[in-house]
Amino acid sequence: MKASLATEVGGKFTTHDIQIDDPRGREVLVDVKASGLCHSDLHLIDHDYGMPLPAVGGHEISGVVRSVASGVTSMKVGDHVVACLIPFCGACAECLAGHSTLCLNPAAVSRGEDESPRISFADGSAIAQSVNVGGFAEQVLVHENQLAVVNNEIPFPQAALLGCSVVTGAGAAINTAHIRPGDTVAVVGTGGIGLNAISGARLCGAKNVIAVDIVDSKLEAAKKFGATDVINSAETDAVAAIQELTGGVDHAFEVIGISATQRQVQEMTRPGGTAYLIGIAPPGATTSFDSSLADLFAQRSLQAVLMGSTNVKRDIALYADMYVQGRFELDGLVTREISLSEINEGYEMLKKGEVIRSIITSF
Ligand SMILES: [Zn+2]
Ligand SMILES: [Zn+2]
């Protein structure tokens, strides 16, 4: 089958013909119908983060179950499924408490080092799967825990985004922050994840959902996802504007991963409010927080968020159903459909901020 590989840091994605094994244990073979270009897969080639290479990138996929191994109980051939990069065993104390993102045994969804690889070159040498998925390919072989069955009325490109940017953004609002009707919310950074945090805040019934960015077109998009107010922070002091509008918000989300905006979200909150850090900072970066006595007595909180505290099977199916009901915006996230051979161009556009998401829909 055809797949796009990262082979060296500093290189490009290149298309190869590779082998894929039959499913065993609790594995599922999926025919990929759509595969999103998430920024994090660019990290396979743009910096040395220590990820194994060669690897097939891609983890935002949707598709149809082609075959299942005998141990699979949660899906069947023909089901429409969405992959998620959260590895969880389903049996440890954290998993049983519903905290998949805190799983104590995430290796349970991978093959052991003594087993043959899921994907390989023709000579049998192993190829790594990005986050156990490897979705820039015609097919993926994945543990059933990393797949959610979804409503088959949702189009494949929209569905593909559910497993990463949607769960990360919407989950932060719904699961991590537990936003309640009437709460006030600010979201700093309105790319794919920020727009989904706005969607999640709207679903929860937030009163003000204030979007902050430096690109006017992104702020316009934010309104479609439920922002009630927008602030261009290149022109306006966003902290002062939010304090004036709301007296400080209950929840402020940072989605970029830079210290200046991480500091801003803390200053945007009201006493008792919480700042949430979703954006991933480059290796070695540090952030600071104001620990003055007045601030501590105001009981402000700072919370890091991993993958929207998502419960894979429940949340992805829920968002798909709400999309089909017309209550969850996804269409505005799918900005360009491309072929497998256009990955490098797709990433160039993402780096320039020209698209929210390119999705591979032909292989
Ligand atoms: Zn992703
Ligand atoms: Zn677990």
Side-chain angles (χ1 to χ4, degrees):
M1 65 152 186
K2 254 191 281 174
S4 186
L5 267 70
T7 54
E8 56 176 344
V9 173
K12 298 260 183 209
F13 289 98
T14 49
T15 304
H16 298 255
D17 196 19
I18 67 166
Q19 316 292 315
I20 189 160
D21 204 3
D22 292 326
R24 64 171 78 148
R26 295 180 61 196
E27 291 173 348
V28 178
L29 183 66
V30 179
D31 288 330
V32 179
K33 300 294 183 185
S35 181
L37 268 57
C38 175
H39 200 270
S40 60
D41 271 307
L42 197 53
H43 294 335
L44 283 170
I45 53 173
D46 69 349
H47 284 107
D48 188 359
Y49 286 93
M51 291 187 271
L53 295 177
V56 174
H59 55 270
E60 290 188 355
I61 68 115
S62 62
V64 179
V65 174
R66 162 69 71 104
S67 61
V68 297
S70 59
V72 172
T73 57
S74 61
M75 58 197 65
K76 61 183 187 310
V77 172
D79 281 345
H80 290 203
V81 290
V82 168
C84 186
L85 67 168
I86 300 169
F88 68 97
C89 73
C92 73
E94 292 291 354
C95 283
L96 292 174
H99 307 145
S100 322
T101 54
L102 301 177
C103 176
L104 303 171
N105 183 22
V109 297
S110 311
R111 284 193 182 177
E113 285 184 5
D114 54 340
E115 295 181 87
S116 58
R118 286 180 180 161
I119 53 174
S120 59
F121 290 108
D123 65 3
S125 57
I127 301 169
Q129 296 172 299
S130 171
V131 296
N132 309 309
V133 177
F136 295 154
E138 291 177 285
Q139 294 183 320
V140 296
L141 184 57
V142 190
H143 190 284
E144 66 173 322
N145 283 4
Q146 281 191 264
L147 293 169
V149 178
V150 295
N151 190 317
N152 60 14
E153 290 177 43
I154 182 172
F156 289 112
Q158 280 81 344
L161 301 179
L162 294 174
C164 182
S165 55
V166 173
V167 294
T168 301
I174 297 168
N175 300 323
T176 315
H178 298 294
I179 293 171
R180 296 190 306 173
D183 281 359
T184 50
V185 174
V187 177
V188 178
T190 57
I193 292 171
L195 292 174
N196 283 299
I198 291 168
S199 272
R202 173 166 67 175
L203 269 184
C204 293
K207 178 164 142 274
N208 296 86
V209 184
I210 306 162
V212 180
D213 205 292
I214 55 172
V215 180
D216 283 330
S217 60
K218 287 186 173 175
L219 291 170
E220 277 308 306
K223 289 182 190 168
K224 292 198 195 102
F225 283 74
T228 57
D229 306 87
V230 297
I231 297 170
N232 185 324
S233 55
E235 297 163 1
T236 305
D237 179 338
V239 173
I242 285 171
Q243 288 292 349
E244 191 180 321
L245 193 64
T246 62
V249 290
D250 297 297
H251 312 275
F253 298 88
E254 201 274 356
V255 189
I256 306 164
I258 56 177
S259 61
T261 42
Q262 288 175 337
R263 182 91 195 94
Q264 281 179 354
V265 287
Q266 296 167 56
E267 293 168 353
M268 286 171 184
T269 56
R270 66 164 181 79
T274 304
Y276 303 87
L277 305 185
I278 304 175
I280 297 171
T286 57
T287 188
S288 63
F289 66 98
D290 187 341
S291 61
S292 71
L293 211 51
D295 243 40
L296 292 177
F297 280 124
Q299 295 192 78
R300 287 186 173 85
S301 305
L302 182 62
Q303 163 98 56
V305 188
L306 177 63
M307 294 302 300
S309 312
T310 289
N311 181 309
V312 173
K313 306 271 188 193
R314 177 196 64 190
D315 294 353
I316 291 175
L318 169 70
Y319 301 144
D321 283 340
M322 296 194 92
Y323 169 86
V324 172
Q325 292 172 345
R327 298 162 68 196
F328 195 84
E329 166 63 24
L330 293 172
D331 297 337
L333 299 173
V334 181
T335 36
R336 191 162 167 265
E337 294 187 30
I338 63 171
S339 68
L340 185 68
S341 61
E342 294 176 299
I343 286 186
N344 295 305
E345 293 89 326
Y347 271 123
E348 281 306 313
M349 294 181 81
L350 187 69
K351 278 197 272 188
K352 287 183 197 150
E354 291 171 356
V355 292
I356 298 172
R357 263 298 184 276
S358 292
I359 316 262
I360 301 162
T361 50
S362 62
F363 293 86

